[in-house]
Amino acid sequence: MQNINTYIYSRIDTLEEAIKEAWKRKFYQEHWGHKSLDDVINIVRSYKYHTLPVTRKHDLRDNWDNIMCFDGAIDVVSSSGTTGRPVDIPVHKEEENVRVEAIERWLHALGVNTGDKVLILLSMNDLFTLGVLSWQAVKKRNACAIRCSVNRVDRILQIIEHLKPKYVIGNAGPMIRLAEEAGDRWPGHDLLPKKALLGASAVFDQDLNPTPALKKLKELWGFDDYLNTYGSSEIGAVSDECSYHQGLHIHTDHQMIELIDLKNGLPLEDNNQPGELVITGLNLPRGFIPIRYATGDIVAWIKHESCPCGQITPRMGPIIGRVDHQLKISGQTVFPDLLLSLADESTGVMRSAVQVKSEKYGEDEVTLLLVIDDNFNKKEVKNNVISRLDKNLSISPKVNVISSINLLTLEKKASKNTNQVKIPRIFDFRKGI
Ligand SMILES: [Zn+2]
């Protein structure tokens, strides 16, 4: 297997350029703790790049004036933060071109061509990035963009009936909810878009099997094909799927990627195990230059073997959790996403969420919330979920049945300060988070 370091040092010239630019930002000079740029370059050349400290989102928040550059910026994007000052990222013209091109490649891979109608169900507002990038990319392919908020059920039904879009771009969770809310009015598969581009949706598990969310989405929308992508407002598009669905191909022309150990922060020797995704951006100029930017996303694996599609770029596995969402139950670390997928795979469970409160002694009080289909016996479904948890985890959280209206209230409360692109599934009431 190719070592991740070999992969990093194949791009050393470009990496040095990015570091030289980053050195001009006061934050990095202080953060790296070296006297001169030459010292930092020597570290890179002596194969010790991994000793530069990672930068995290809170660094961006706390040192915003000393890390962002607005000269040449033409847009501002921001991720969906729930606490503290939002981290707003200036995007330069050249950088936006790179971001749009990445989406264009993705549209090309799915077959979007001149004149094709593409329904975009992503937010065009609130500094959200993927919506406006998709809009530009669709037009660059000479296809026809149809923008609609995913919350406008009636309008979307009209669009599907009269304009008949062939493609749709959206997020799995809101798209499932849209079809469910439409109920009997939801059109048959022959009337719906045939192919989908999914933004940062959990569509496959670490063994590359489809997730319950994807199965549900396909059942409701009846796609012939779909492609998934991963990216963030800080970085832009990072990776996307090919039609073989063997993980997400990393855009190595614009990024370098590492996985670091969740416990000690050191680079993982074996990329077949989960680690935190750390990204270095190589394209310049940029409003924010990510140098060893620790995303907080935990990726199941990185594979370096070539893909059946012929591409030789490394592929990353699914995001299996967030560093800041790790829960402590009876001294053990548990990821809420694992609890959610075990619940979602259980028959009779329509929807699920995780609620977290602080307990004493650094432990978390974790409750798995289930919305159960009225056609099923609630007690039986709940017991089935509990036994699945028992089989897969050595410790178990509490499990409560909740009505869909109560879950909706929790979701609305949790997404009040976000751009409402994703449906929240973790309600974190711990202090300080
Ligand atoms: Zn491939």
Side-chain angles (χ1 to χ4, degrees):
M1 191 187 74
Q2 187 185 6
N3 184 293
I4 194 79
N5 280 329
T6 321
Y7 152 64
I8 285 179
Y9 287 102
S10 65
R11 308 294 309 277
I12 196 159
D13 292 344
T14 325
L15 175 61
E16 282 186 21
E17 286 308 311
I19 284 173
K20 280 177 194 165
E21 275 307 307
W23 182 260
K24 294 177 187 168
R25 316 267 167 108
K26 200 173 153 201
F27 164 77
Y28 280 120
Q29 291 189 22
E30 289 167 2
H31 186 60
W32 290 338
H34 292 285
K35 285 195 190 87
S36 69
L37 175 60
D38 285 346
D39 288 353
V40 181
I41 296 294
N42 282 337
I43 281 176
V44 174
R45 289 184 186 169
S46 55
Y47 291 76
K48 287 182 181 156
Y49 180 57
H50 63 273
T51 63
L52 287 184
V54 297
T55 299
R56 292 189 175 276
K57 198 163 187 172
H58 65 81
D59 294 317
L60 273 55
R61 183 176 292 131
D62 299 343
N63 301 277
W64 193 83
D65 290 325
N66 293 326
I67 195 166
M68 301 298 171
C69 172
F70 267 85
D71 297 339
I74 57 161
D75 197 13
V76 182
V77 298
S78 187
S79 53
S80 190
T82 50
T83 53
R85 177 182 172 168
V87 178
D88 300 332
I89 311 280
V91 179
H92 289 211
K93 190 173 180 132
E94 295 85 344
E95 183 184 356
E96 184 169 85
N97 288 341
V98 168
R99 290 180 180 219
V100 173
E101 268 168 33
I103 310 293
E104 228 191 312
R105 271 196 275 189
W106 186 38
L107 292 168
H108 173 71
L110 202 65
V112 175
N113 271 313
T114 304
D116 287 334
K117 294 190 185 108
V118 184
L119 175 59
I120 303 176
L121 297 177
L122 294 167
S123 172
M124 306 297 286
N125 291 313
D126 305 320
L127 287 74
F128 181 64
T129 178
L130 190 57
V132 287
L133 292 178
S134 302
W135 183 50
Q136 294 182 70
V138 166
K139 292 190 288 184
K140 277 189 86 177
R141 287 207 62 73
N142 294 319
C144 178
I146 308 167
R147 295 161 286 124
C148 195
S149 160
V150 73
N151 300 320
R152 296 193 62 194
V153 181
D154 293 341
R155 193 70 181 98
I156 293 168
L157 289 172
Q158 286 173 342
I159 289 168
I160 289 169
E161 183 186 347
H162 299 294
L163 300 180
K164 300 180 180 62
K166 191 174 163 189
Y167 297 88
V168 58
I169 306 180
N171 269 331
M175 284 169 70
I176 290 171
R177 177 182 287 179
L178 165 70
E180 286 176 345
E181 277 185 18
D184 293 343
R185 295 181 299 153
W186 190 242
H189 289 174
D190 52 333
L191 301 171
L192 288 161
K194 296 284 170 282
K195 294 183 179 186
L197 291 161
L198 303 172
S201 305
V203 296
F204 61 93
D205 67 15
Q206 56 197 61
D207 301 319
L208 293 168
N209 298 312
T211 59
L214 177 68
K215 284 185 199 159
K216 186 80 186 164
L217 188 71
K218 284 176 87 173
E219 180 192 313
L220 291 165
W221 286 75
F223 301 136
D224 295 339
D225 202 2
Y226 67 91
L227 294 179
N228 186 30
T229 188
Y230 168 81
S232 70
S233 54
E234 296 94 311
I235 315 279
V238 172
S239 55
D240 51 37
E241 271 189 308
C242 66
S243 58
Y244 287 84
H245 302 291
Q246 295 294 303
L248 297 146
H249 284 280
I250 297 162
H251 301 172
T252 47
D253 44 354
H254 299 309
Q255 276 110 34
M256 285 188 344
I257 283 190
E258 304 164 72
L259 286 189
I260 60 169
D261 193 304
L262 297 174
K263 290 197 183 82
N264 58 26
L266 294 172
L268 282 182
E269 286 295 319
D270 175 7
N271 284 310
N272 283 314
Q273 53 175 302
E276 184 181 1
L277 187 66
V278 172
I279 300 179
T280 297
L282 298 175
N283 57 297
L284 295 167
R286 301 177 71 119
F288 163 57
I289 304 173
I291 303 288
R292 299 202 81 224
Y293 180 65
T295 58
D297 286 329
I298 300 160
V299 168
W301 39 258
I302 288 182
K303 290 186 194 305
H304 291 268
E305 303 90 69
S306 60
C307 178
C309 73
Q311 292 187 70
I312 53 164
T313 50
R315 285 164 286 141
M316 55 181 252
I319 309 294
I320 56 168
R322 292 269 317 156
V323 169
D324 46 6
H325 281 162
Q326 292 181 82
L327 305 172
K328 280 268 182 238
I329 309 177
S330 305
Q332 295 210 30
T333 302
V334 177
F335 293 112
D337 301 69
L338 177 62
L339 302 177
L340 292 170
S341 61
L342 288 169
D344 291 349
E345 283 162 10
S346 305
T347 314
V349 174
M350 289 175 69
R351 212 164 273 169
S352 62
V354 169
Q355 180 175 276
V356 194
K357 290 178 182 168
S358 282
E359 253 187 352
K360 286 178 187 169
Y361 313 117
E363 291 281 318
D364 299 314
E365 184 195 329
V366 180
T367 311
L368 181 59
L369 305 172
L370 307 175
V371 176
I372 295 174
D373 190 330
D374 285 340
N375 299 317
F376 288 81
N377 179 314
K378 291 193 168 45
K379 204 171 171 188
E380 273 179 24
V381 173
K382 179 180 167 179
N383 287 339
N384 180 29
V385 171
I386 292 171
S387 70
R388 285 180 70 90
L389 293 171
D390 287 343
K391 265 185 218 154
N392 288 278
L393 301 164
S394 49
I395 34 82
S396 290
K398 276 197 267 181
V399 178
N400 281 352
V401 176
I402 182 174
S403 71
S404 60
I405 292 170
N406 284 346
L407 181 62
L408 198 64
T409 308
L410 281 168
E411 285 173 358
K412 282 192 174 154
K413 203 173 150 194
S415 59
K416 209 167 72 182
N417 295 322
T418 73
N419 56 24
Q420 310 198 356
V421 170
K422 290 182 187 169
I423 296 172
R425 301 191 69 191
I426 300 160
F427 309 121
D428 200 335
F429 299 109
R430 287 176 293 184
K431 273 183 195 161
I433 291 186

